[in-house]
Amino acid sequence: MSNKFKNALLIVDRICKLTGINFSELEILKKPQRIIEVSLPVLMDDGSLKIFQAYRVQYNNIRGPYKGGLRFHPQVDLDEVQALAFWMTIKCAVVDIPFGGGKGGIIVDTKKLSQNEIERLTRAYVRGFADFIGPDIDIPAPDVYTNPQIMAWFMDEYSHIKGKNIPACVTGKPVEIGGSLGRDIATSQGGFYIFTNLLTKIKIKKQDISIVVQGFGNVGLNFAKLAYAASYKVVAVSDSQGGIYNHEGLDIEKIILHKQKTNSVINFDNAKNITNEKLLELPVSVLVPSALEGVIDEHNVNKIKASIIIELANGPITSIASDKLFKKNVIVVPDVLANAGGVIVSYYEWLQNLQHFYWDINKVNISLQEQINNAFYKVWQTKEKYNVDLRFAAYIIAIEKIVACLKIRGI
Ligand code: GLU
């Protein structure tokens, strides 16, 4: 039985103690407002019928409609989806977009399904949850192992059910059907803006930086690509099959081609294969965990040598490990800020859909940069004020905003 949700909530009480703020209203934040669980019957290509377990957790909508991704993964469970939905609630408040938080998931290994089966599964999900979804209610988006094509099927099925086109029911769509320019790489782009901002703030020069990116899905790959294009030295990358390392730096563009051909980054010329565990412990300055939760915990935290960690994954560091890193003066930019670029551009996509007015890529990127950098500065100021780590600072900001809404609206 995993404890991700319980662990995710620990910080709420600690913030009250630390700051002296005593919000009894915060009890509301310790439970999702609604949990929906549906069994989805899906016809397989061989004619058999399979039942998939699916969830949507609508955590809190005090600041706006529920917002958050839809994850397809064999390790999805209700506990994980609740933690992820809670984090979305915090994330939207930290970066000041008018959404609450939610998350969805299906227990499925998409690597074992055909494209047709994934399409039928997606459409079944939409039919199962359609009454609870909508532009003003709850707006899903991509997450681990879901992509623009899946969002397109989502939008199509939902529009059929409602009898008209409703692109704003989901974000992260292909641009042809109302997706936003820049949404595909927005999580990485936002993380990269924060990363360069941080380096300026703590006065570290580019030539002194070496980067490890753990995870080479959409988020990790694009962060590595942006860093490489800006002439940063990326020394190691990994995917679920393992990692590769060259202390002199890797050619990320070539690795992307290698992964397209072989399905993995491993066995790349000019680099040695290493395990994912060893990759996290490399003697580098910057570590960018970009895959799943809990990869840095009490067992390996003392072996981490990076002095900066940018959490592009959701929840890659457990709370015990996070405290230890703070004591070791490691700067951790927390997920609720570092990976918020995705949901920020999702917000822009939703706005564009509602207004039927589409932005060019410059407008998207300039707006993203301004919005995420503003959030970064506020979190940094709060960290100085309370002498806490950036995670605590981000939560203080988010919780104050959520509680202000609760008080003004009345419970
Ligand atoms: N799944 C992404 C996240 O965890 C994006 C959510 C969204 O765009 O709604 O932030």
Side-chain angles (χ1 to χ4, degrees):
M1 157 83 189
S2 79
N3 271 322
K4 285 175 192 162
F5 181 44
K6 202 168 139 216
N7 286 332
L9 287 181
L10 290 176
I11 195 165
V12 177
D13 286 331
R14 291 179 67 196
I15 280 175
C16 291
K17 283 201 195 109
L18 196 100
T19 57
I21 39 184
N22 182 18
F23 297 132
S24 53
E25 293 92 339
L26 278 187
E27 290 306 311
I28 288 178
L29 259 190
K30 292 187 189 167
K31 284 235 178 274
Q33 290 172 333
R34 184 151 60 184
I35 294 173
I36 312 148
E37 184 172 352
V38 178
S39 308
L40 308 175
V42 177
L43 194 63
M44 298 288 103
D45 291 345
D46 65 4
S48 65
L49 192 73
K50 258 202 183 142
I51 310 292
F52 294 89
Q53 214 49 29
Y55 306 97
R56 186 79 189 166
V57 172
Q58 299 185 323
Y59 203 88
N60 190 285
N61 67 352
I62 193 84
R63 298 185 62 259
Y66 305 105
K67 184 84 190 81
L70 170 60
R71 175 174 294 203
F72 287 2
H73 197 275
Q75 272 151 30
V76 161
D77 61 24
L78 183 57
D79 180 59
E80 179 186 71
V81 184
Q82 289 186 90
L84 290 162
F86 167 67
W87 289 328
M88 283 309 303
T89 309
I90 300 293
K91 194 184 299 184
C92 293
V94 174
V95 295
D96 216 14
I97 54 176
F99 288 132
K103 201 82 169 195
I106 305 182
I107 307 174
V108 60
D109 184 353
T110 48
K111 289 178 184 162
K112 294 191 178 137
L113 299 190
S114 69
Q115 282 302 296
N116 284 335
E117 288 167 340
I118 296 174
E119 176 176 351
R120 287 197 289 273
L121 177 64
T122 306
R123 290 185 186 277
Y125 186 94
V126 180
R127 289 193 299 275
F129 291 84
D131 286 348
F132 305 97
I133 301 287
D136 305 318
I137 306 169
D138 185 353
I139 309 119
D143 196 78
V144 174
Y145 288 122
T146 50
N147 56 32
Q149 176 60 72
I150 290 174
M151 300 306 116
W153 291 324
F154 193 113
M155 174 269 192
D156 183 71
E157 188 68 25
Y158 186 83
S159 298
H160 277 294
I161 293 168
K162 300 292 171 186
K164 57 182 175 180
N165 271 353
I166 309 186
C169 70
V170 69
T171 58
K173 301 177 293 292
V175 286
E176 292 83 350
I177 57 161
S180 177
L181 291 170
R183 176 62 186 85
D184 49 352
I185 67 158
T187 307
S188 319
Q189 184 71 67
F192 191 69
Y193 287 140
I194 289 201
F195 167 65
T196 49
N197 214 335
L198 173 68
L199 295 188
T200 314
K201 189 120 208 139
I202 58 178
K203 300 188 178 68
I204 299 189
K205 293 202 194 79
K206 193 185 273 187
Q207 54 269 33
D208 298 328
I209 292 285
S210 51
I211 305 175
V212 165
V213 180
Q214 181 254 351
F216 214 63
N218 179 44
V219 175
L221 178 153
N222 281 305
F223 185 87
K225 198 170 161 177
L226 287 167
Y228 180 72
S231 305
Y232 285 92
K233 193 160 82 173
V234 182
V235 296
V237 298
S238 71
D239 57 29
S240 56
Q241 295 187 49
I244 49 171
Y245 173 52
N246 180 341
H247 73 279
E248 282 176 357
L250 298 167
D251 183 332
I252 298 300
E253 291 297 342
K254 283 196 181 143
I255 294 169
I256 293 171
L257 294 175
H258 173 73
K259 176 148 178 144
Q260 275 166 5
K261 270 195 227 138
T262 66
N263 258 333
S264 176
V265 297
I266 59 171
N267 302 325
F268 180 70
D269 291 343
N270 287 332
K272 66 173 189 204
N273 287 340
I274 51 168
T275 61
N276 258 302
E277 292 76 53
K278 285 275 171 278
L279 176 122
L280 294 171
E281 297 162 11
L282 285 169
V284 292
S285 37
V286 183
L287 183 59
V288 188
S290 313
L292 293 173
E293 302 96 71
V295 290
I296 301 175
D297 60 13
E298 69 265 39
H299 303 297
N300 64 353
V301 64
N302 290 329
K303 297 184 196 149
I304 303 294
K305 298 177 193 72
S307 51
I308 297 171
I309 303 180
I310 312 281
E311 290 188 324
L312 286 193
N314 286 310
I317 306 179
T318 63
S319 58
I320 296 177
S322 199
D323 286 348
K324 289 204 167 153
L325 291 167
F326 182 51
K327 285 197 189 109
K328 284 201 324 189
N329 287 324
V330 176
I331 298 177
V332 176
V333 184
D335 48 6
V336 291
L337 174 62
N339 72 28
V343 74
I344 291 174
V345 179
S346 274
Y347 166 50
Y348 302 157
E349 181 171 328
W350 178 80
L351 283 178
Q352 292 170 71
N353 293 156
L354 294 178
Q355 296 173 354
H356 305 279
F357 177 77
Y358 286 85
W359 302 6
D360 65 28
I361 187 68
N362 281 339
K363 181 166 166 144
V364 172
N365 281 335
I366 289 169
S367 308
L368 169 62
Q369 187 170 19
E370 196 182 311
Q371 187 139 17
I372 207 156
N373 281 346
N374 278 342
F376 176 76
Y377 287 125
K378 284 189 190 136
V379 171
W380 193 272
Q381 275 172 354
T382 308
K383 156 193 122 65
E384 311 261 273
K385 180 173 166 197
Y386 290 100
N387 190 26
V388 290
D389 63 13
L390 291 168
R391 190 185 317 279
F392 267 88
Y395 275 75
I396 291 170
I397 290 174
I399 285 174
E400 282 180 349
K401 276 189 201 153
I402 294 165
V403 169
C405 284
L406 278 167
K407 286 195 166 154
I408 295 165
R409 286 181 60 163
I411 293 168

